[in-house]
PDB file of all heavy atoms in Angstrom:
ATOM      1  N   CYS A  27     165.117 120.635 112.698  1.00  0.00           N
ATOM      2  CA  CYS A  27     165.144 121.185 114.055  1.00  0.00           C
ATOM      3  C   CYS A  27     166.148 120.394 114.900  1.00  0.00           C
ATOM      4  O   CYS A  27     166.130 119.158 114.888  1.00  0.00           O
ATOM      5  CB  CYS A  27     163.748 121.112 114.668  1.00  0.00           C
ATOM      6  SG  CYS A  27     163.709 121.561 116.399  1.00  0.00           S
ATOM      7  N   CYS A  30     163.703 118.622 117.913  1.00  0.00           N
ATOM      8  CA  CYS A  30     162.751 117.533 117.685  1.00  0.00           C
ATOM      9  C   CYS A  30     162.965 116.851 116.344  1.00  0.00           C
ATOM     10  O   CYS A  30     162.330 115.822 116.068  1.00  0.00           O
ATOM     11  CB  CYS A  30     161.317 118.035 117.806  1.00  0.00           C
ATOM     12  SG  CYS A  30     160.842 119.147 116.479  1.00  0.00           S
ATOM     13  N   CYS A  41     161.264 126.526 115.071  1.00  0.00           N
ATOM     14  CA  CYS A  41     160.617 125.264 114.704  1.00  0.00           C
ATOM     15  C   CYS A  41     159.105 125.398 114.904  1.00  0.00           C
ATOM     16  O   CYS A  41     158.667 125.834 115.971  1.00  0.00           O
ATOM     17  CB  CYS A  41     161.182 124.149 115.571  1.00  0.00           C
ATOM     18  SG  CYS A  41     160.248 122.633 115.463  1.00  0.00           S
ATOM     19  N   CYS A  44     158.153 122.709 118.042  1.00  0.00           N
ATOM     20  CA  CYS A  44     158.580 122.866 119.450  1.00  0.00           C
ATOM     21  C   CYS A  44     159.094 124.275 119.736  1.00  0.00           C
ATOM     22  O   CYS A  44     159.542 124.545 120.854  1.00  0.00           O
ATOM     23  CB  CYS A  44     159.644 121.827 119.791  1.00  0.00           C
ATOM     24  SG  CYS A  44     161.202 122.104 118.940  1.00  0.00           S
TER      25      CYS A  44
HETATM   26 ZN1   ZN E  13     161.485 121.315 116.841  1.00  0.00          ZN
END
Side-chain angles (χ1 to χ4, degrees):
C27 172
C30 69
C41 168
C44 68

